[in-house]
Amino acid sequence: MEYCRFYYCASLILSISGLVFPVMVGSIGINYGQIANNLPAPDNVVPLVKSIGATKVKLYDADPRVLKAFANTGVEFIVGLGNEYLSKMRDPEKAQDWVKTNVQAYLPATKITCITIGNEVLTFNDTGLTDSLFPAMQSIHTALVNLGLDKQVSVTTAHSLAILEVSYPPSAGSFRKDLVGCITPILNFLAKTNSPFLINAYPFFAYKSNPKQISLDFVLFQPNQGIVDSKSNFHYDNMLFAQIDAVHSALASLGYSKLPVHISETGWPSKGDADELGATLENAKKYNGNLLKIICQRKGTPMRPNTDLNIYVFALFNENMKPGPASERNYGLFKPDGTPAYSLGISGTDAVSANTTTTGAPAPPSPDSSSTGYLSISAAVKERCCSCIGQLLFPLLLLNYLAFRLAF
């Protein structure tokens, strides 16, 4: 009876959310991390994902409970192969066994579309991991080919923004010289297999490292003067788009300008330690609320104005067992009991400015603090190792909470 009651409420949530978020279908991705001991069962997570209009989920493993729970939901999945498995995956037989067990076994009911091999491997300064990354990618792809799955499942890896040596101005973006030898064969592989380049981008880290020189409005998508790239004359009114275009420039510098860039992680913590300036509930609400609005509007960056953003918000839940500063445990849109961590309603005071993708036209001069502070983006990110939504979202999330209460 309790099980049926939960799904009655879940169905109600999905029916309403389908009316509220029709233009967001196929747009929003969410990271589903599970470094916690108090998260709900995966079956109870399905309506939460649906309620925010997310149609794509990224895992850091291939949890069978999650993959089974999302069967026949139409939600697309990226599954992950952890860094600890890379050396083993150099063996083609082990790679094929892994694909059979963790991917093939769930297709086609669960829509697995991509496998990420490791996470931020090239910036761990671990020679063993670095040397194993590309061979592991090749082995997993070969296994997919042998099983006839390579046309529906791609293979890639997610990188930290710290792989960039230059990130400002965006048009001058370039990869670290010491990593070019490792990155180039990966880029060639991605181009040949029609796979995306994944980057984890966190404006929060740049602000946290230099709050006196970086404009908070610039990193939160709030109205601001922004910066002008003196070489391209593109105007940027938010840091995330500048970071993304710096990656586009770095790829172009190596001859891969057509390689699609997806943002595999971005988010803002709602709480942090005393020295983590900016990690507040209000800032998290502004960052993620404005970000979701931009995704909904299908805006591209100034350098790629006609390309839809492919962004995975970090993260679905607060994770109480993550190591590191308090911010690491407070990125979630939801608390473990299914209640929203904060409202994502968009009001007049936290609306996204309309000139995000202005190109070529003269822009107002940028304050000295914006351009100066932006220089620290690549360095700051190294500390991390591991009108369409509107005010209707919060009531929907409260409905989720009711469903949870009735389920238990």
Side-chain angles (χ1 to χ4, degrees):
M1 177 63 72
E2 298 299 321
Y3 181 85
C4 293
R5 190 181 300 169
F6 174 83
Y7 275 94
Y8 173 79
C9 291
S11 297
L12 177 61
I13 294 169
L14 296 181
S15 297
I16 297 175
S17 63
L19 297 174
V20 177
F21 301 112
V23 297
M24 299 173 72
V25 173
S27 300
I28 298 175
I30 189 78
N31 282 277
Y32 183 180
Q34 298 184 79
I35 306 178
N37 60 6
N38 58 356
L39 298 183
D43 284 339
N44 294 341
V45 174
V46 176
L48 298 184
V49 170
K50 293 283 189 177
S51 72
I52 59 172
T55 58
K56 300 179 292 186
V57 172
K58 177 170 163 282
L59 298 178
Y60 293 87
D61 53 20
D63 188 333
R65 301 172 306 148
V66 176
L67 296 177
K68 289 176 182 177
F70 279 84
N72 302 309
T73 62
V75 175
E76 293 185 12
F77 268 83
I78 295 178
V79 297
L81 180 67
N83 292 353
E84 65 272 23
Y85 297 108
L86 296 191
S87 61
K88 295 179 181 178
M89 293 304 112
R90 300 180 69 152
D91 182 333
E93 289 187 7
K94 291 181 179 178
Q96 185 146 318
D97 288 342
W98 189 91
V99 171
K100 284 181 177 179
T101 301
N102 297 284
V103 178
Q104 187 181 42
Y106 302 100
L107 295 170
T110 303
K111 196 175 181 181
I112 300 172
T113 60
C114 182
I115 304 170
T116 54
I117 311 301
N119 187 50
E120 301 186 348
V121 171
L122 298 184
T123 47
F124 266 101
N125 297 318
D126 185 317
T127 303
L129 279 179
T130 298
D131 290 345
S132 296
L133 176 59
F134 184 48
M137 294 176 69
Q138 290 178 306
S139 293
I140 293 293
H141 177 68
T142 298
L144 291 169
V145 172
N146 292 340
L147 296 170
L149 301 174
D150 58 302
K151 302 302 181 184
Q152 64 187 98
V153 182
S154 61
V155 174
T156 187
T157 185
H159 302 281
S160 161
L161 201 67
I163 61 172
L164 296 184
E165 182 166 299
V166 176
S167 59
Y168 181 83
S171 60
S174 63
F175 292 112
R176 281 169 41 186
K177 291 182 177 62
D178 62 314
L179 295 179
V180 170
C182 302
I183 292 174
T184 301
I186 291 176
L187 299 181
N188 189 48
F189 169 87
L190 297 178
K192 287 183 177 179
T193 59
N194 297 312
S195 302
F197 183 85
L198 302 188
I199 192 79
N200 299 337
Y202 287 89
F204 167 70
F205 290 125
Y207 178 77
K208 174 184 170 182
S209 70
N210 203 354
K212 292 184 178 180
Q213 294 191 350
I214 295 178
S215 163
L216 184 60
D217 287 337
F218 185 60
V219 296
L220 294 180
F221 308 100
Q222 295 289 92
N224 67 96
Q225 289 183 309
I227 62 171
V228 177
D229 186 316
S230 58
K231 180 180 178 181
S232 67
N233 203 34
F234 289 143
H235 174 239
Y236 292 87
D237 64 5
N238 72 79
M239 181 177 285
L240 180 64
F241 278 17
Q243 291 177 332
I244 295 172
D245 278 354
V247 174
H248 281 301
S249 295
L251 291 171
S253 72
L254 296 181
Y256 294 92
S257 60
K258 295 183 179 180
L259 200 62
V261 174
H262 294 184
I263 309 307
S264 41
E265 290 182 19
T266 191
W268 196 281
S270 58
K271 184 178 180 181
D273 291 323
D275 62 346
E276 294 189 283
L277 295 181
T280 68
L281 187 147
E282 187 61 27
N283 287 343
K285 172 183 174 180
K286 289 179 180 179
Y287 185 86
N288 286 320
N290 286 337
L291 175 64
L292 291 177
K293 183 177 180 181
I294 288 175
I295 295 172
C296 174
Q297 293 171 341
R298 299 185 182 279
K299 285 187 175 183
T301 67
M303 198 174 288
R304 296 288 188 276
N306 299 316
T307 301
D308 282 351
L309 296 171
N310 283 278
I311 293 179
Y312 288 79
V313 178
F314 188 89
L316 188 58
F317 291 109
N318 286 335
E319 300 173 70
N320 69 341
M321 296 182 70
K322 290 196 72 173
S327 61
E328 289 293 322
R329 295 176 287 282
N330 290 280
Y331 275 89
L333 300 185
F334 292 100
K335 298 176 184 178
D337 65 357
T339 59
Y342 45 84
S343 166
L344 284 174
I346 299 174
S347 67
T349 58
D350 53 14
V352 183
S353 60
N355 61 346
T356 301
T357 57
T358 300
T359 60
S366 59
D368 292 340
S369 61
S370 292
S371 57
T372 304
Y374 188 79
L375 296 174
S376 65
I377 291 176
S378 292
V381 79
K382 292 179 183 178
E383 66 183 85
R384 178 180 176 82
C385 295
C386 330
S387 56
C388 95
I389 316 172
Q391 292 143 358
L392 292 170
L393 181 57
F394 191 58
L396 280 174
L397 300 184
L398 291 179
L399 281 174
N400 290 338
Y401 177 59
L402 292 176
F404 266 86
R405 299 304 299 172
L406 288 171
F408 301 106

